[in-house]
Amino acid sequence: MTWVIAVSNQKGGVGKTTSVVNLASALALRHGLRVLAVDMDPQGHLALSLGIDAGEPSRTITAALLGVHDLGQVVREVGLIRGLYVAPSNESLAAAEDRIARQPGREAVLATVLEPELPKYDVVLVDTPPSLGVLTFNALYASTHILVPVQPRLYSIEGLRRLYQIIHLMSKRLGRKVEILGHFLTMVDNRYRVTREVRSDLRARLGEGLLKTEIPMSVKAEEGHFHRIPLIVYAPDTEAARAYEALAGEVLSRLRGEVIRGESLESGVGLDGGEH
């Protein structure tokens, strides 16, 4: 079985792309897995951060979603890390969003193009845009699990409500149930009182739904983006790089059922605001 994990949070600036880049790199480099990173964000930063220029629309995920090419024809191998591959994106995806929305079975377009490629990989990580439109919905529908990065700031809980509502509606109306693998804190700076308060609040609300691993603030991570090198390769001895390696281990433990995962984190924690 291939695990397909959407990294999603409707709030922007929480470190989704950085997390996908480094989690995918750690799973391939440290655990020897074959990993595909799929960019469903029209900003296209995922491939760039892995040292790959998306180029023409015909060489991106847009071409696969529109049926121009098979997904395998747009996937690129990441030269820096053996076993890591990426399906890049660029601004053409934003222009194609309306066309994707008009396709029959629009919520399942990504799932359909992914299906024949899944046997090639152990894990697929999907980067999502900071919105809950048709692109994010496709990512959630195609996934077996959802991983939620959360920045420790006031009102961070508010950004999760709509995500939970979408998951609930997808299960109720389309019969597609996706497990929330967990939430993890990003851009953590323990010098601030609000960090401790948000952590405590999330732990009280989510319990085991909040992963133990936290990703600290890191200037080196930004430097790695600039140089198009994942942090765990660019600065492997930094606290943030070690945290992403720990996150990869914790994610694998949960996927393999070695910890209590909680199959309905969106229920019963006072977050979703929807009917049950």
Side-chain angles (χ1 to χ4, degrees), residues 30-52:
R30 305 300 185 216
H31 296 273
L33 301 181
R34 287 178 61 87
V35 182
L36 172 63
V38 177
D39 196 353
M40 288 294 283
D41 188 342
Q43 295 180 92
H45 293 164
L46 177 61
L48 286 175
S49 297
L50 290 168
I52 293 175

Side-chain angles (χ1 to χ4, degrees), residues 115-138:
E115 186 176 6
E117 294 296 306
L118 292 181
K120 299 178 182 178
Y121 304 102
D122 300 301
V123 180
V124 176
L125 286 170
V126 186
D127 192 15
T128 59
S131 66
L132 287 173
V134 67
L135 297 178
T136 297
F137 198 92
N138 262 263

Side-chain angles (χ1 to χ4, degrees), residues 68-90:
V68 176
H69 292 306
D70 293 335
L71 181 62
Q73 293 176 280
V74 304
V75 167
R76 323 277 186 85
E77 185 172 6
V78 178
L80 284 171
I81 299 175
R82 183 178 181 182
L84 180 56
Y85 301 81
V86 62
S89 173
N90 59 21

Side-chain angles (χ1 to χ4, degrees), residues 9 11 17 20 26 28 37-38 56 66 72 75 78 112 144 163-164 179 183 187 206 222 264 268:
N9 187 328
K11 189 176 183 303
T17 300
V20 172
V38 177
E56 296 298 317
L66 295 179
V75 167
V78 178
T112 300
T144 56
L163 175 63
Y164 291 157
E179 180 180 343
H183 311 68
M187 304 180 184
L206 299 173
E222 293 304 314
S264 300

